[in-house]
Amino acid sequence: MLSKSLNKALNQQVQLEFESSNVYLAMASWAEQEGYEGIASFMYLQSDEERMHMLKIFKYINERGGNAEVPALSKVPHTYKSVIDMFTSVLKHEVHVSSEINKLVDICLKEKDYATHNMLQWYVAEQMEEERVARTLLDKLKLIGTDKSGVYMFDRDLLSIRSEAGNEKEA
Ligand code: OFO
């Protein structure tokens, strides 16, 4: 049985994963409107993945006798100055999510809830991967700078980078 405090903290994580899904959905929309097909496709997939992250915790809360709540939706950014501006936000967001996961792990250890601690290890590993991918992409964009053909190639490359990341997760 989940403690009340852990139930609340997990519901807050549900909200954050929901928000992540919406942040990436809005990024997909911006990229699509700007003509970045590869980036849009990457962001649509990211958005779906975040929804899966949200559902995993949502279902876990109920499985442990808690009360999973559908959170209210907050407004997410819909415009970006540039592709690099958008990917800077992606990395910042993922670093924030990682620190929230770490806080949850802390609560589990304090409460000696080893089942939830075990469930969260998946998220610890996932966040490391998400941060790695975001950092790699941002580094590439920093190298490209303002070169438009470079950004065009980056957009083309994103589909393959996205599937490489997916393959690594499955391995
Ligand atoms: Fe849910 O992994 Fe990103 O935010």
Side-chain angles (χ1 to χ4, degrees):
M1 181 91 183
L2 278 179
S3 69
K4 276 212 169 85
S5 55
L6 205 41
N7 193 148
K8 188 176 170 202
L10 287 172
N11 268 325
Q12 281 166 354
Q13 191 62 32
V14 163
Q15 176 159 26
L16 186 54
E17 300 291 343
F18 227 124
E19 190 182 301
S20 301
S21 178
N22 287 344
V23 164
Y24 293 138
L25 189 60
M27 285 178 174
S29 176
W30 178 83
E32 205 159 50
Q33 289 172 54
E34 295 290 317
Y36 298 117
E37 202 185 331
I39 297 170
S41 157
F42 176 86
M43 290 301 174
Y44 277 122
L45 283 167
Q46 284 297 112
S47 175
D48 285 349
E49 246 184 46
E50 296 297 349
R51 182 175 159 77
M52 181 273 281
H53 296 175
M54 179 276 293
L55 275 176
K56 219 172 149 86
I57 300 177
F58 194 89
K59 289 179 179 169
Y60 177 82
I61 294 172
N62 287 340
E63 273 165 21
R64 293 287 313 281
N67 174 31
E69 286 172 0
V70 176
L73 298 180
S74 50
K75 207 141 175 51
V76 294
H78 261 269
T79 53
Y80 293 90
K81 285 193 285 254
S82 60
V83 172
I84 196 166
D85 175 41
M86 194 173 78
F87 277 90
T88 302
S89 295
V90 170
L91 180 57
K92 204 173 149 199
H93 185 76
E94 290 304 333
V95 168
H96 171 63
V97 174
S98 298
S99 85
E100 293 304 304
I101 293 287
N102 289 343
K103 284 182 199 166
L104 274 173
V105 172
D106 265 356
I107 300 173
C108 292
L109 290 174
K110 276 184 198 121
E111 295 193 4
K112 298 190 182 353
D113 186 333
Y114 300 117
T116 307
H117 180 271
N118 188 45
M119 181 277 289
L120 287 172
Q121 292 316 297
W122 184 88
Y123 287 85
V124 171
E126 177 69 10
Q127 280 311 122
M128 273 174 57
E129 176 61 12
E130 301 241 298
E131 281 192 37
R132 185 193 69 77
V133 171
R135 238 177 235 113
T136 302
L137 295 178
L138 192 54
D139 285 347
K140 280 181 196 284
L141 285 165
K142 283 178 184 163
L143 285 173
I144 291 166
T146 52
D147 175 19
K148 281 190 178 164
S149 56
V151 179
Y152 176 81
M153 291 309 291
F154 174 87
D155 183 57
R156 296 286 88 202
D157 283 352
L158 249 195
L159 285 173
S160 56
I161 290 173
R162 182 64 188 74
S163 61
E164 271 170 33
N167 290 342
E168 275 175 27
K169 271 179 203 171
E170 281 162 25

